[in-house]
Amino acid sequence: MRRFVEGTDRGQSTLFPECLEDWIGEDNPVRVIDVFVEELDLAELAFDGVAPEATGRPSYHPSVLLKLYIYGYLNRVQSSRRLEREAAHNVEVMWLSGRLVPDHKTIADFRKDNGSAIRQVCARFVELCRAMGLLTQASVAIDGSKFKAVNNRDRNFTRAKMERRMAQIEESVARYLQQLDSADRQEPSEALKTKTSGLKEKIEKLKQEMRRLAVLKVDMLATPDQQISLTDPDARSMATSGRGSGVVGYNVQVAVEAGHHLIVTHDVTNNGSDRSQLSAVAKEAKATLGVKKLDAVADRGYFNGEEILACEEAGIMVTLPKPMTSNSKAEGRFGKQDFRYVAEEDVYVCPAGEQLAYSYTTEDKGLVVHCYATNACRHCAIKHNCTKGNERRIKRWEHEHIIELVQRRLDAHPEKMRQRRETVEHPFGTIKARMGATHFLMSNIPLARSRPAWAQPTS
């Protein structure tokens, strides 16, 4: 085979190195794993099996299984069966484990029985990174990822899914009964008898399914979120970014340090929304980094007035965009962002140059709502691009306590806040802010998509 790279004859004898040490380079990451685990006090971290039993078959030392688990985490090998195969033919894993090949059940049981101890190992790693000066920057990015649970979507039931399933069964029963009525009007035959018997069996199975669903519906309605999963009870149905898609699993919250992109903290929850997760993750990241003040960046899915207030009181400066919930832009009309707010006069200026003055204040779900209105819309030439009503109203949602905190900051540091209002340079992009705002508008914020170590789910 000319003009091709030729391989070596399979029957050719080869002298491989006699020890595994010769196969592992000095800069290989497995050496770091080995040194890190060997320096841990596994008994202090409460790992099971540190002290061997006096009788019975000898067990694997937890350090061997922990090294194997960390190696799988770093190389995206999550399955215990795949880890078993890697231990049998992967030279790096052979060096790391001393050529031990634990079976997949031993690996899975180690992961299941030592969940809290593995979290302590993650905390020790964060402490090591802090000692090495890798976590000196008090700035994190927060985001959530949906992790699929071991629970099929057909084994998860919500109120809407239960109603759809029952409606489908009722339609099938009605269709089969109609076929039976049609069969009764035909001449008896052996084929017709077989068909009728099959239809009756199908109807009986559907009735049994209806009785089973009725029992599940009672259990489902008794849960706080009116949702039940049969295989993994803690898993919940969650929407994903894809249209019409979803996953039955967990929402993993992750805080990533801005300087070296290291995971500072993570938490596992079965709440599919990020709206109420901001303050808890930010406070945990602040405590992990051991700083007095923290800058946190998140996407618009975390925007919540109460969560922003909790972060403000904890000394955490949150940077996140405000979601645009109005349909004005989609309908071809002006949105709230097209109206300019004049803080000195406390008015909004519309695209036509008219002023919307303060009208009244109300409260909704703990948030203060300031309403601004004008009656100049009746004779406006561009009214059809602005509003469908006789007058235009703008609602400004802000938390009462956040306004007071921001105002005190403005009074205490007027020059500093003036510069911050103009432009703020941040590791994740340029932040633009305005006077009196309780949040900052950002552009080009990268999302923290990371895969944290597994933790036991919390309900």
Side-chain angles (χ1 to χ4, degrees):
M1 298 176 64
R2 297 180 179 179
R3 304 295 299 170
F4 288 99
V5 178
E6 297 184 6
T8 305
D9 185 7
R10 294 173 181 171
Q12 176 66 44
S13 301
T14 305
L15 296 177
F16 284 106
E18 296 184 359
C19 62
L20 287 173
E21 185 70 23
D22 296 336
W23 287 93
I24 307 301
E26 293 296 331
D27 58 347
N28 196 305
V30 295
R31 293 187 179 274
V32 179
I33 299 175
D34 183 67
V35 174
F36 175 69
V37 174
E38 291 297 332
E39 293 298 323
L40 294 175
D41 189 346
L42 301 185
E44 181 183 354
L45 297 177
F47 274 94
D48 293 338
V50 176
E53 298 291 341
T55 59
R57 183 181 181 275
S59 61
Y60 293 100
H61 195 275
S63 63
V64 175
L65 299 174
L66 180 59
K67 292 176 184 178
L68 185 59
Y69 172 76
I70 296 177
Y71 179 87
Y73 166 66
L74 292 177
N75 292 274
R76 299 183 180 182
V77 182
Q78 300 174 342
S79 169
S80 57
R81 294 181 183 272
R82 286 190 59 193
L83 285 175
E84 179 184 0
R85 290 196 296 269
E86 292 292 323
H89 65 76
N90 191 321
V91 178
E92 292 181 343
V93 182
M94 290 180 184
W95 181 90
L96 194 61
S97 64
R99 285 196 167 181
L100 294 176
V101 185
D103 64 276
H104 61 274
K105 188 176 186 306
T106 301
I107 300 172
D109 289 342
F110 170 78
R111 200 156 32 189
K112 178 185 66 174
D113 300 335
N114 297 278
S116 59
I118 292 175
R119 288 181 65 92
Q120 293 296 322
V121 173
C122 296
R124 294 295 177 87
F125 178 74
V126 173
E127 293 177 3
L128 175 63
C129 293
R130 187 189 298 114
M132 296 174 62
L134 300 178
L135 301 177
T136 56
Q137 190 171 358
S139 180
V140 297
I142 299 174
D143 196 18
S145 298
K146 303 298 191 302
F147 278 52
K148 188 178 183 301
V150 187
N151 195 103
N152 193 282
R153 294 175 65 176
D154 293 335
R155 300 273 293 172
N156 170 267
F157 295 94
T158 61
R159 178 190 286 270
K161 187 183 295 185
M162 183 73 72
E163 292 177 354
R164 288 197 304 268
R165 185 73 62 84
M166 287 186 169
Q168 292 173 357
I169 293 177
E170 290 175 356
E171 292 177 1
S172 299
V173 171
R175 185 172 65 255
Y176 291 150
L177 290 176
Q178 185 179 4
Q179 293 178 9
L180 283 177
D181 294 338
S182 177
D184 290 341
R185 293 191 294 268
Q186 299 178 12
E187 291 294 331
S189 64
E190 190 66 27
L192 183 62
K193 182 179 179 181
T194 303
K195 179 180 179 181
T196 303
S197 176
L199 289 174
K200 290 181 179 180
E201 291 180 0
K202 291 180 179 179
I203 292 174
E204 182 61 29
K205 289 181 179 179
L206 290 175
K207 289 182 178 179
Q208 293 177 2
E209 180 67 12
M210 285 290 290
R211 289 192 291 268
R212 186 181 75 91
L213 292 178
V215 175
L216 290 176
K217 186 175 182 180
V218 175
D219 298 336
M220 179 197 66
L221 296 177
T223 59
D225 55 354
Q226 296 187 351
Q227 187 175 161
I228 186 174
S229 296
L230 302 182
T231 305
D232 190 345
D234 291 328
R236 290 294 180 267
S237 179
M238 302 177 183
T240 56
S241 57
R243 179 177 297 180
S245 63
V247 63
V248 179
Y250 300 94
N251 186 6
V252 180
Q253 297 293 315
V254 185
V256 180
E257 190 264 342
H260 298 86
H261 302 164
L262 295 172
I263 298 174
V264 176
T265 184
H266 71 276
D267 188 24
V268 181
T269 176
N270 56 9
N271 186 353
S273 174
D274 295 334
R275 196 75 64 184
S276 60
Q277 309 295 331
L278 180 62
S279 61
V281 180
K283 290 178 182 178
E284 182 66 24
K286 181 173 177 285
T288 303
L289 292 174
V291 295
K292 295 182 179 180
K293 293 185 178 181
L294 178 70
D295 289 334
V297 179
D299 58 27
R300 67 180 70 249
Y302 287 87
F303 188 88
N304 184 298
E306 296 177 354
E307 292 292 310
I308 296 174
L309 173 63
C311 292
E312 180 77 22
E313 293 175 344
I316 302 171
M317 174 63 72
V318 181
T319 305
L320 71 166
K322 183 178 180 180
M324 298 299 176
T325 57
S326 175
N327 292 328
S328 299
K329 283 292 185 181
E331 296 174 357
R333 294 182 285 112
F334 293 124
K336 183 178 177 181
Q337 62 274 15
D338 298 316
F339 290 73
R340 180 169 55 89
Y341 178 67
V342 182
E344 293 78 6
E345 302 178 13
D346 193 22
V347 296
Y348 279 91
V349 179
C350 74
E354 298 291 340
Q355 292 186 352
L356 284 75
Y358 168 77
S359 179
Y360 62 92
T361 298
T362 184
E363 184 178 350
D364 183 16
K365 298 180 181 179
L367 296 176
V368 176
V369 184
H370 305 286
C371 297
Y372 298 76
T374 180
N375 55 7
C377 302
R378 300 177 181 179
H379 308 290
C380 182
I382 58 174
K383 174 186 174 182
H384 62 282
N385 292 332
C386 187
T387 178
K388 295 180 179 179
N390 293 328
E391 61 181 19
R392 177 75 180 195
R393 292 182 181 272
I394 286 184
K395 294 182 179 181
R396 183 161 59 93
W397 298 71
E398 298 197 58
H399 201 287
E400 186 176 20
H401 299 292
I402 296 181
I403 300 174
E404 296 176 359
L405 289 170
V406 172
Q407 188 60 46
R408 286 201 297 268
R409 178 177 294 176
L410 287 170
D411 296 339
H413 306 283
E415 182 62 23
K416 182 177 179 181
M417 291 305 296
R418 184 186 67 79
Q419 296 175 359
R420 180 178 289 273
R421 286 196 302 273
E422 294 173 354
T423 177
V424 181
E425 295 300 328
H426 195 276
F428 292 95
T430 301
I431 307 171
K432 300 178 181 179
R434 70 163 183 260
M435 184 175 183
T438 61
H439 61 280
F440 299 97
L441 302 178
M442 286 195 62
S443 60
N444 302 324
I445 307 177
L447 301 182
R449 297 290 184 187
S450 300
R451 189 178 298 272
W454 175 248
Q456 293 294 325
T458 56
S459 57

